[in-house]
Amino acid sequence: MKMLLPSPADQYDKANEAQTRSKIEQADALNQKKGQDVVINKNRLILTDANGVQWAASISTSGVLTWVEL
């Protein structure tokens, strides 16, 4: 996801600056942080092998991990 910020105002505007900072903070909250667990809920984990083939992982309710070539 690309973050799009509003264009800067010609002159400093406190409200515009607050809005920009808020957007940056919201986008930052979505980023994975170093030292944290990676939790994937509804999205897929997709890895690319050395030959460039992509594989998607899924897990069953019994914990069996399965890879499907994309």
Side-chain angles (χ1 to χ4, degrees):
M1 177 173 79
K2 184 176 180 180
M3 179 173 39
L4 299 174
L5 297 174
S7 298
D10 292 334
Q11 293 184 342
Y12 178 80
D13 180 323
K14 188 174 182 177
N16 183 288
E17 181 68 16
Q19 179 186 20
T20 301
R21 289 177 183 228
S22 176
K23 285 188 176 195
I24 292 171
E25 289 174 355
Q26 289 171 8
D28 181 59
L30 299 174
N31 293 333
Q32 180 62 41
K33 305 295 187 229
K34 184 177 178 179
Q36 291 182 346
D37 290 341
V38 177
V39 178
I40 300 173
N41 293 321
K42 295 178 183 177
N43 296 322
R44 298 184 296 174
L45 172 62
I46 299 174
L47 299 178
T48 304
D49 69 20
N51 294 325
V53 178
Q54 290 188 323
W55 298 86
S58 63
I59 192 162
S60 71
T61 56
S62 60
V64 176
L65 183 63
T66 304
W67 291 93
V68 176
E69 183 178 348
L70 300 178

